[in-house]
Amino acid sequence: MILCRTTKARGGWIIWPVHSAAALLFLSLALALTTETGFAQHVGSAKSSFSAESPTAALHALNARHRMAQPAEQAEALDQLLTVAASRHELLAALIEDNPGEVLRVAVPAGARAALPPAVQAYIEEEVEVDGVLEVFHEDRATGSRYLHFLKVKEERFSLHFAADPPALQTGSRVRVRGVRVNLALALASGSTSVSALSAALPNTFGPQPTAVILVNFQDNPTNQPYTLAYAQGVVFSTTSNFYRENSFQQTWLTGDVYGWYTIPLNSTVCDPSSLASYAQQAATAAGVNLSAYSRYVYAFPPNACSWWGLGTVGGRPSMAWINGSFQLPVVGHEMGHNFGLYHSHALECGTSTLGTNCTAIEYGDTLDIMGSSSGDFNAFQKEWLGWLNYGASPPITTIQTDGAYALDPYESAGPNPKALKILKSPSPK
């Protein structure tokens, strides 16, 4: 006896024979996946804990049935295979941002993908290895701040989603990436195993930093200009520039100009930083500004739909920073810290222990550093990374290898004496 079931799809009713337990699994799943409300529920839950294992098993079962089907049955079997492949594709596209590890776990191997009918392969994720230029952005908000990674490959731009530990690389680094492609998104295991640096972005942390500040507002409120050009000029080229000059021991400062206000063809109800930057540059260029004279761009605007208060490229030349609403040193200086290549200054909370196995990292935990949760000086780790300590003419750091008494100069003052101590945590690499 051949058991048959039916399920309603968008094109009508589908009837097929059930030949295996795996196909039975598909049938129960298809009732949800091929109806609009059921599929929407599964896609919605995909961002949390929904597994793509069942539709993957159904895909393999239906492919086996298609291969064994008689010529008269093959068209029907192919239609069924296409239906589940398309539904599964939408599921993985919804899943990849928040759970790339699940996408990697259920990914169809290259050999199995090649065995599928060509029409079905169009809906199947693909193992890829591509070279391109890395883009790293950070969204700063009180809670839920996050890093975003993209890869520019010729005319395409892929979003990168890491199952663990993204790479600590800068915007502009040329890299080779190995992962699983779903549309224009790549699921990657980790930065250390999935990303190989081919060439590093050149640092740009010394001397004058030519900076263009472009003030824009939105077409749904074109009169909203919450501060003057003179105020913005003072925040960037006086307050923030002086902050960087002091932190770098007089080696780095900001130069440039403020332009605007320009009304751009974007509503404040839309969060689209890429379009905002493009429109801002178009408006400035139309007003006669030579943007090629600058290596850093700051886009400032009244509060809009974006939930972050600042966004910045981590490194890059030119670098870009977006300032949403509050235009002052803690925001501008922080985002430009990302532009110089810095990640956050964290804290490690270990309870009553100095260090332990149950510590919790606090994203903005350094309460004395502008890359943490204050407008204070960059800490010694960040300054060393920038070359403002322990490099060239910068003051030195003393590396401690034995017990003893060590003298330090005041942290903020210039001079040839040590500003910080570097102490070995453990001789073990673990």
Side-chain angles (χ1 to χ4, degrees):
M1 182 179 72
I2 297 178
L3 175 65
C4 293
R5 293 289 180 89
T6 65
T7 184
K8 188 175 183 180
R10 291 171 184 167
W13 290 89
I14 298 172
I15 304 176
W16 61 83
V18 177
H19 295 289
S20 68
L24 278 170
L25 174 65
F26 165 70
L27 288 172
S28 60
L29 179 70
L31 289 169
L33 291 184
T34 56
T35 61
E36 294 187 9
T37 54
F39 178 71
Q41 290 170 357
H42 280 85
V43 168
S45 63
K47 287 183 174 275
S48 54
S49 60
F50 184 71
S51 170
E53 185 172 350
S54 295
T56 302
L59 178 78
H60 292 306
L62 283 173
N63 185 48
R65 175 181 179 268
H66 174 262
R67 290 199 306 268
M68 295 184 297
Q70 297 298 318
E73 300 173 334
Q74 282 196 340
E76 178 187 348
L78 179 60
D79 285 344
Q80 296 163 11
L81 186 54
L82 284 168
T83 297
V84 74
S87 296
R88 178 179 173 277
H89 179 81
E90 291 187 55
L91 177 64
L92 293 188
L95 190 68
I96 194 168
E97 181 176 346
D98 291 333
N99 196 351
E102 176 69 6
V103 174
L104 293 172
R105 189 178 73 83
V106 303
V108 176
R113 183 180 189 274
L116 292 166
V120 176
Q121 290 182 33
Y123 294 104
I124 304 302
E125 66 281 0
E126 183 179 10
E127 295 177 3
V128 296
E129 180 175 286
V130 289
D131 295 358
V133 177
L134 185 66
E135 296 178 338
V136 186
F137 298 84
H138 189 268
E139 295 178 352
D140 282 294
R141 52 173 66 84
T143 57
S145 65
R146 62 174 182 165
Y147 289 95
L148 304 173
H149 298 79
F150 297 89
L151 186 72
K152 292 193 71 174
V153 182
K154 296 180 180 179
E155 299 302 317
E156 293 184 304
R157 186 171 185 255
F158 296 96
S159 61
L160 306 182
H161 306 279
F162 295 89
D165 302 327
L169 295 172
Q170 290 193 34
T171 296
S173 300
R174 186 160 186 82
V175 298
R176 176 167 296 148
V177 169
R178 292 172 295 277
V180 171
R181 174 177 177 173
V182 181
N183 298 332
L184 289 178
L186 300 181
L188 309 168
S190 69
S192 60
T193 61
S194 301
V195 179
S196 302
L198 303 178
S199 63
L202 294 175
N204 181 24
T205 62
F206 288 97
Q209 305 290 315
T211 303
V213 180
I214 307 176
L215 310 182
V216 299
N217 53 22
F218 303 102
Q219 63 183 3
D220 56 336
N221 192 2
T223 62
N224 190 3
Q225 300 179 8
Y227 41 84
T228 65
L229 271 70
Y231 171 81
Q233 182 88 21
V235 169
V236 176
F237 299 109
S238 179
T239 304
T240 306
S241 180
N242 290 341
F243 176 83
Y244 275 80
R245 189 186 290 271
E246 178 187 348
N247 273 264
S248 66
F249 303 102
Q250 312 302 310
Q251 297 179 95
T252 306
W253 61 96
L254 307 179
T255 63
D257 304 279
V258 179
Y259 302 102
W261 291 84
Y262 304 124
T263 299
I264 60 175
L266 196 68
N267 286 335
S268 61
T269 55
V270 175
C271 181
D272 185 351
S274 179
S275 293
L276 189 152
S278 179
Y279 287 137
Q281 292 209 11
Q282 290 173 22
T285 300
V289 179
N290 178 18
L291 292 177
S292 64
Y294 304 95
S295 61
R296 302 193 182 280
Y297 302 131
V298 177
Y299 310 107
F301 44 94
N304 75 345
C306 296
S307 59
W308 38 262
W309 43 262
L311 170 69
T313 59
V314 180
R317 184 181 293 183
S319 68
M320 293 186 287
W322 291 256
I323 311 299
N324 183 5
S326 181
F327 199 84
Q328 52 185 311
L329 173 64
V331 182
V332 178
H334 182 101
E335 296 310 321
M336 296 202 75
H338 286 310
N339 293 167
F340 274 72
L342 297 181
Y343 286 78
H344 284 157
S345 294
H346 306 117
L348 200 61
E349 174 56 55
C350 301
T352 58
S353 302
T354 303
L355 289 173
T357 58
N358 295 315
C359 300
T360 301
I362 304 172
E363 185 70 20
Y364 297 96
D366 191 333
T367 59
L368 301 176
D369 184 345
I370 197 168
M371 297 310 293
S373 58
S374 80
S375 55
D377 281 16
F378 297 110
N379 64 36
F381 176 90
Q382 303 283 37
K383 285 191 181 184
E384 183 181 27
W385 197 96
L386 293 167
W388 298 345
L389 283 178
N390 223 35
Y391 175 81
S394 302
I397 293 174
T398 298
T399 300
I400 304 301
Q401 295 179 325
T402 61
D403 293 346
Y406 299 89
L408 295 177
D409 260 11
Y411 190 58
E412 295 86 354
S413 62
N417 296 321
K419 300 293 183 183
L421 306 179
K422 183 184 292 186
I423 303 170
L424 185 65
K425 176 182 173 183
S426 170
S428 171
K430 295 182 179 180

